[in-house]
Amino acid sequence: MRVAVVGAGVIGVTAAVAVKEAFPTFEVTVFAEIFTPHTTGDGSAGLWGPFVLADTDPRKIVEWSLLTHKWMKNFWKSGRAAETGVSLLPCYRLSCKSYTKPEWLSVVYGGCELTEKELKRLSKANKTEYTGGVHFVTFTCEPVKLLPYLMKKLESMNGQFVQRKITDLKQLGEEGFDIVINCTGFGSKELVGDKSVSPVRGQVMRVKGPWLLECTLEEGHHGNYVIPNIDSTVLGGTYQEGDYDCSINPSDTKSIKEGCERIYPSIKKCGIISEWAGLRPGRVQVRLESEIMSSLKKKDLVIIHNYGHGGSGVTLCWGCALNVVEILHQQLKIKNLSKL
Ligand SMILES: Cc1cc2nc3c(=O)[nH]c(=O)nc-3n(C[C@H](O)[C@H](O)[C@H](O)COP(=O)(O)OP(=O)(O)OC[C@H]3O[C@@H](n4cnc5c(N)ncnc54)[C@H](O)[C@@H]3O)c2cc1C
């Protein structure tokens, strides 16, 4: 059985590894235009935390994010934290707008809602007005370290990588592939003509601040966040719907710097390492489902779509990859494709 995974971001590479682990005899090839360290996830801090998921079913968010959390925990506990870029951090997620208790709070360690007293104290300390918030402990899993680790792993299992732009998924059927897994993120807007995919621009800055071992995220009018990584700290951020501009906007730089210094004044002492802007693959909901297409060569070309993870690709990647494997099992059974 020949499987083509299109896309080498955190969604495509995890899907490829999960499929190869589940079906070791299948031939797995990853096609992509862009590889690490230039994918969307590479620019992110890789914090576990559901964000920008529009109308995705909250039960699915909990299911996928829980599986991913356990997967990160395994890396962290088994001595592979440095290689995979996994750290464990205390986090505040604070709301400056209307607040509702997040459904995923049961997934993280020590998740609890903040009391009125704590909110008052934090509002005073951070010079803003919080309406609600939670405190918890969770992982960051940095794609810039995770992706090379997973790619090496896939190669060791005889998986292949091909740098190529795909313009028609059916073409892969003509080339003899039986299954295509579409993990093209924002690229699905063009590749499968999905009009519901839209960019949600995010700009961030990396600074040197090794003492910043606490994460704070503000939701609402500020949208500032501070997320420590292993070699740097990520300061954010912006959330700009429909904005395709990946250049650095100086007024965003100013508001990121001022907002993060308001929360942690010691950031004034941090040197700036780099700045980056990327597009979160926004969609009305994550698309994780199969579709059967026919091409001249393959009457039953199984396509499994896995894209539109918004601001949560890292958070959901492994849970979604396992869901791809589950769909693949179902499809092989329904279509009796294992006999191909
Ligand atoms: C500023 C910012 C901060 C973020 N922070 C976090 C965070 O802390 N935690 C978190 O969980 N998420 C975060 N995210 C979101 C996360 O980065 C994305 O959800 C995730 O990277 C999406 O992964 P992906 O693999 O779907 O897409 P991408 O990483 O964009 O990869 C898409 C892949 O598909 C390929 N491709 C596309 N079209 C084609 C084609 N036609 N032919 C061949 N190849 C194609 C590309 O070349 C690429 O390899 C952040 C995003 C931004 C912008």
Side-chain angles (χ1 to χ4, degrees), residues 6-12 31-34 39-41 44-47 164-166 183-185 187 191 202-204 225 227 276 278-281 309-315:
V6 188
V10 73
I11 297 299
F31 292 94
E33 249 190 307
I34 293 166
T39 71
T40 311
S44 80
L47 178 71
R164 176 176 146 196
K165 177 168 177 152
I166 304 297
C183 305
T184 50
L191 181 60
Q203 182 173 319
V204 292
Y225 61 80
I227 309 175
W276 175 78
L279 308 181
R280 299 174 182 95
H309 298 78
S312 309
V314 183
T315 308

Side-chain angles (χ1 to χ4, degrees), residues 48 61-71 106-107 315:
W48 184 102
I61 297 175
V62 170
E63 179 191 320
W64 293 327
S65 66
L66 174 64
L67 290 165
T68 311
H69 204 266
K70 286 183 175 164
W71 180 69
S106 58
V107 173
T315 308

